[in-house]
Amino acid sequence: MRILVAGGTGAVGRRLVPMLVAAGHDVTGLGRSPGRLELLRATGARALAADVLDASALRRVVADAAPDVVVHQLTDLSAAVPADNGRVRREGTRNLVDAALAAGVRRMLAQSISWAYAPGEGPAEEPVPLDVDAPGPRASMVGSVAALEAAVAEVETHVVLRYGILYGPGTWYAPDGAVAAALAGRPDAPPFLGSLRPGPDVSSFLHVDDAARAAVAALEWPSGPVNVVDDEPAAGRDWLPVLSGALGVPAPAPVDDAERTPWARGASNALARARGWAPRWGSWREGFPAMTATPGAGDAGGAGGPGSAGGPGGAGGSIPAGGRERTAAEARA
Ligand SMILES: NC(=O)c1ccc[n+]([C@@H]2O[C@H](COP(=O)([O-])OP(=O)(O)OC[C@H]3O[C@@H](n4cnc5c(N)ncnc54)[C@H](OP(=O)(O)O)[C@@H]3O)[C@@H](O)[C@H]2O)c1
């Protein structure tokens, strides 16, 4: 198939593009950074520069690539500014869908998140509605997710991959990432979004290689949203000490929050498993330590998984350098 990966130079895209090339597809990666695009070319893919916020330029690039499938792996979280990411979700996705439809594309996959569900008990399954009535900053984040998912649904066959918090090479949870710097108390720690509160709030994690493998599998899936998360949704008080130990940084002191934030419930991967995908890293318990077991391993993209090193990663907390810790409810974008 001819496949266009928008966000091909990103944390997931860099792992996904070589997998698609290895599977025999004709792959074009899209991004902005010339250096990152050059790395994509070295994997055997074509690489094109375009800003997805420039609708007419994007339309030309997509028409030239003439893809059978468009894969959306775009995010704009490098500065951890939720409004930037919201703009890419709303305007960037709108432009990409318009360009895809104009080019006659009939199948699209898109990256979404698994923590935008409405409050409830236990890990959320896909029929749970998005938390569109959420108060405060979460309303804006959930609204942008809903806009992304609605736009993608205009394409004849559309699969929305609701990823867990990403960890592994190139993510905030990598040994060289923002989370390790924040946990180490480094004053120059870059900002990230999420929560490092060792309390009852539950998250679902996902290794970037498992995220990429799900996108390959989803080329054959029917329309609709699918949670792509590991097997063990977990409370911060359980996963944070394991992450801290893996990163070799101090574990934050447990907090005694009495109540879980009602939406912080994790997600179930039963549907993705029923479609034949299974995480190689079934739990962060093995995945976090593997990030540092073989330093540098897995950074070139590709397999990962138990026995093959993989990398650190994740997405989520929010401790702007020198700032107070935000709660999960405030922070995640
Ligand atoms: N589910 C999750 O937990 C999750 C999801 C996404 C991100 N994150 C976290 O956020 C960290 C940083 O995020 P990031 O957004 O910088 O991710 P990234 O994975 O490095 O980049 C995302 C991709 O989107 C592209 N992109 C962004 N804005 C664009 C635009 N206007 N036009 C064209 N392409 C555009 C980027 O291109 P360029 O390479 O040219 O910039 C890149 O290919 C990640 O490392 C991860 O830890 C977590």
Side-chain angles (χ1 to χ4, degrees):
M1 281 188 272
R2 270 199 309 278
I3 302 176
L4 177 75
V5 182
T9 53
V12 177
R14 289 196 298 274
R15 326 290 292 176
L16 172 60
V17 166
M19 290 183 195
L20 294 171
V21 170
H25 297 295
D26 179 346
V27 186
T28 300
L30 192 93
R32 296 165 302 179
S33 143
R36 286 171 144 195
L37 287 167
E38 202 47 50
L39 290 174
L40 270 197
R41 286 189 191 102
T43 70
R46 265 184 284 277
L48 296 173
D51 185 337
V52 295
L53 300 177
D54 181 341
S56 52
L58 184 64
R59 196 177 277 234
R60 279 194 301 277
V61 164
V62 176
D64 286 350
D68 303 304
V69 183
V70 169
V71 181
H72 175 336
Q73 295 286 358
L74 297 156
T75 50
D76 190 357
L77 288 164
S78 49
V81 175
D84 293 347
N85 202 35
R87 191 167 176 218
V88 162
R89 281 185 180 137
R90 288 177 185 275
E91 290 177 41
T93 305
R94 180 69 266 156
N95 293 340
L96 187 61
V97 168
D98 287 344
L101 292 173
V105 171
R106 296 170 64 187
R107 174 175 282 271
M108 185 161 172
L109 317 180
Q111 174 185 155
S112 184
I113 56 172
S114 62
W115 58 92
Y117 285 111
E121 293 301 321
E125 299 198 330
E126 292 79 356
V128 172
L130 297 181
D131 195 10
V132 289
D133 298 325
R138 181 167 164 81
S140 168
M141 184 277 280
V142 177
S144 70
V145 168
L148 177 155
E149 295 194 359
V152 172
E154 294 173 26
V155 179
E156 186 176 307
T157 304
H158 50 272
V159 183
V160 170
L161 302 167
R162 291 179 175 164
Y163 286 156
I165 296 178
L166 295 174
Y167 70 94
T171 70
W172 284 325
Y173 292 71
D176 60 353
V179 169
L183 288 171
R186 274 181 29 204
D188 61 340
F192 65 99
L193 299 169
S195 172
L196 296 182
R197 208 169 160 75
D201 284 354
V202 174
S203 298
S204 282
F205 283 90
L206 180 70
H207 192 284
V208 276
D209 282 335
D210 284 328
R213 291 177 51 252
V216 175
L219 292 171
E220 310 293 334
W221 289 355
S223 291
V226 184
N227 294 332
V228 181
V229 296
D230 76 9
D231 296 330
E232 193 176 358
R237 61 177 162 240
D238 296 325
W239 65 259
L240 251 168
V242 176
L243 178 67
S244 303
L247 297 174
V249 295
V255 296
D256 56 3
D257 299 354
E259 307 251 330
R260 174 178 64 82
T261 304
W263 61 259
R265 56 192 293 190
S268 160
N269 65 15
L271 179 59
R273 280 186 162 275
R275 296 211 172 142
W277 173 86
R280 290 209 179 132
W281 296 102
S283 170
W284 44 271
R285 288 184 196 279
E286 295 88 41
F288 290 163
M291 292 197 288
T292 48
T294 312
D299 280 351
S308 68
S318 157
I319 302 186
R324 81 178 169 89
E325 181 183 337
R326 287 191 265 168
T327 66
E330 288 174 308
R332 287 188 208 161

